[in-house]
Amino acid sequence: MPDLASDRDAIRDLLARYTYHGDRGRIDDLAACFAPDGVLEYPGAAPCGPAAIKASLSSGTRDRRLTFIRHHITNPLIIVDGDVATARSYFCVHSNFGPDHSGTYDDRIVRTAEGWRFARRRVRIDWQTKASLFRPMVTRPTNLTP
């Protein structure tokens, strides 16, 4: 019989592993957080499957001044229904010059033989500083100005 507290703890661990691996540039490990047909939807892309996610996140150019990245996840709302779960979290990213951008993660998560994995992770950007070292990514209109 599934244990709701253990499932929620394992899902919080998945959320953290994705973040830590991404911040440290471990794209293989980040991509392993997804189910075989998992989708990472972020501004401008929606690759499907770990190999496509890795390829998408490894493509493009990166501003050489960007040497520090930390994602901070807060207030995850996790609902578990058997072998499927949903989670919604806020995040804020700090980079070399302080707060860089923030938004939400909307997740559909599935239990696999390897543990909980993302079936779909949708990244929405609510705010981004004009001084950001990342490409422009705001996906929602806002009245906030940096």
Side-chain angles (χ1 to χ4, degrees):
M1 176 178 211
D3 176 4
L4 182 58
S6 293
D7 286 339
R8 285 186 173 157
D9 191 47
I11 291 168
R12 278 189 291 273
D13 181 71
L14 175 67
L15 303 178
R17 279 187 287 118
Y18 171 95
T19 299
Y20 276 86
H21 293 317
D23 287 348
R24 284 157 180 77
R26 291 181 253 174
I27 304 304
D28 284 329
D29 293 327
L30 179 148
C33 292
F34 287 82
D37 59 350
V39 175
L40 173 59
E41 180 185 339
Y42 62 93
C48 179
I53 290 168
K54 177 184 175 188
S56 182
L57 294 177
S58 300
S59 67
T61 58
R62 180 173 165 160
D63 189 316
R64 292 178 158 293
R65 296 172 296 161
L66 185 57
T67 60
F68 176 82
I69 304 170
R70 292 293 183 269
H71 286 69
H72 301 275
I73 303 171
T74 63
N75 304 332
L77 293 174
I78 300 168
I79 299 170
V80 179
D81 184 10
D83 291 337
V84 177
T86 59
R88 182 173 172 90
S89 310
Y90 294 129
F91 69 87
C92 181
V93 177
H94 286 76
S95 67
N96 297 54
F97 304 116
D100 191 278
H101 59 279
S102 63
T104 58
Y105 292 127
D106 290 305
D107 302 316
R108 184 172 180 278
I109 303 163
V110 293
R111 189 190 317 265
T112 70
E114 294 77 34
W116 289 97
R117 296 292 184 266
F118 294 110
R120 181 172 207 92
R121 169 160 263 207
R122 182 175 63 170
V123 181
R124 295 180 72 175
I125 310 297
D126 296 328
W127 170 86
Q128 185 173 15
T129 182
K130 290 177 184 176
S132 178
L133 298 177
F134 291 87
R135 67 179 174 78
M137 301 180 290
V138 174
T139 55
R140 291 193 238 200
T142 180
N143 293 330
L144 298 176
T145 55

